[in-house]
Amino acid sequence: MRAIAVLAGWITAGNILCYAQFLPDLQARTPAEFDAYLEVLEAPGVARSEAFLREFPDSALRLPVWELLARARRAEGNAAAAIRAVRAGLAVAPEYAPLLVELADLLANGATGWEEAEAPARSALAVLDRVKAPQRVGPAEWTAAVQTLTARAYAAWGLVLFKRNDVAGAIRQLEAALRQQPAGDATLHYRLGRLYAVAGRTREARAELAEAARSGVDELRALARQALAGLPE
């Protein structure tokens, strides 16, 4: 079952959306600050993000920059630095749901510290349950963003429960995550299928793994087919 945790880390370490829908209206204090911020947006990455934060440590725009830095650090495989960036962003805005979800996901996928992931996952779900869409964001865009973040929070929580050997609890959280994804999510199907197999729910495991086997990602498709082949008849 180690493949469940390994896959979780692999699939979330790539490009993840930046959730501008959740940002408050922010203003730069000077033209130079605004220009530097635009440079970060035009080419998000570690160097420009860190340069902005050094030059404008009290900027109202530092929250999205911390968010972009966290994603850049994660993309390069530096989870520890990504976590530091996320925590810095949450120090600015403790109820900023995208970074709560990011923290839960990063911690849950770690070899150590994963027990801490449940708290930010729960906090994110509570925030997402009550947060209202700003007027500048359309209903469809808002709903999609909330559903994606909610699914990631449930999935992170489920991974924590899996690592605690609470298979039934992990299944409940992954089922909740999938309910938030109307179009489906091949990774969630795979992980849920593996958990169903452990629980002896072979028919359900076969259905979920078959969904995952239709993934366009070669590695995920291969893992799903291998797991399908290992199910009892």
Side-chain angles (χ1 to χ4, degrees):
M1 291 301 291
R2 181 173 175 272
I4 293 178
V6 170
L7 178 63
W10 163 71
I11 203 70
T12 56
N15 294 325
I16 302 173
L17 293 174
C18 187
Y19 295 97
Q21 304 95 325
F22 290 82
L23 289 169
D25 292 327
L26 304 172
Q27 298 292 327
R29 294 175 182 171
T30 66
E33 180 185 344
F34 185 64
D35 288 344
Y37 179 64
L38 289 180
E39 289 182 1
V40 174
L41 295 185
E42 289 169 0
V46 171
R48 286 192 175 182
S49 297
E50 290 187 337
F52 179 92
L53 292 165
R54 283 194 302 271
E55 189 171 356
F56 306 102
D58 298 320
S59 171
L61 299 169
R62 67 192 186 280
L63 175 59
V65 176
W66 280 120
E67 183 179 3
L68 290 168
L69 177 58
R71 300 188 196 291
R73 285 298 194 186
R74 189 167 191 175
E76 69 182 17
N78 192 337
I83 289 171
R84 288 195 296 272
V86 168
R87 292 192 188 280
L90 288 172
V92 176
E95 292 197 335
Y96 184 53
L99 285 184
L100 285 170
V101 171
E102 195 72 17
L103 181 59
D105 196 52
L106 282 161
L107 291 171
N109 282 292
T112 61
W114 54 266
E115 282 280 6
E116 301 175 39
E118 183 175 343
R122 284 178 176 270
S123 295
L125 290 169
V127 171
L128 289 165
D129 187 54
R130 67 174 183 268
V131 70
K132 303 298 182 185
Q135 290 186 345
R136 69 178 187 277
V137 180
E141 179 186 355
W142 179 255
T143 298
V146 169
Q147 286 179 328
T148 299
L149 285 170
T150 300
R152 290 184 64 204
Y154 276 125
W157 189 356
L159 186 54
V160 171
L161 294 176
F162 164 71
K163 290 182 175 182
R164 289 179 188 157
N165 295 317
D166 181 357
V167 173
I171 285 173
R172 286 194 298 273
Q173 300 308 320
L174 289 177
E175 287 174 338
L178 268 176
R179 285 195 293 272
Q180 296 294 322
Q181 299 286 359
D185 182 306
T187 305
L188 287 175
H189 284 299
Y190 171 78
R191 291 162 67 185
L192 186 56
R194 294 297 302 269
L195 289 169
Y196 280 148
V198 170
R201 298 164 63 173
T202 304
R203 180 179 60 82
E204 292 159 295
R206 194 178 305 280
E208 296 298 329
L209 291 170
E211 284 291 333
R214 288 192 274 273
S215 169
V217 178
D218 292 343
E219 184 175 352
L220 178 56
R221 188 168 61 250
L223 285 169
R225 288 175 177 174
Q226 182 180 6
L228 273 170
L231 290 176
E233 295 296 333

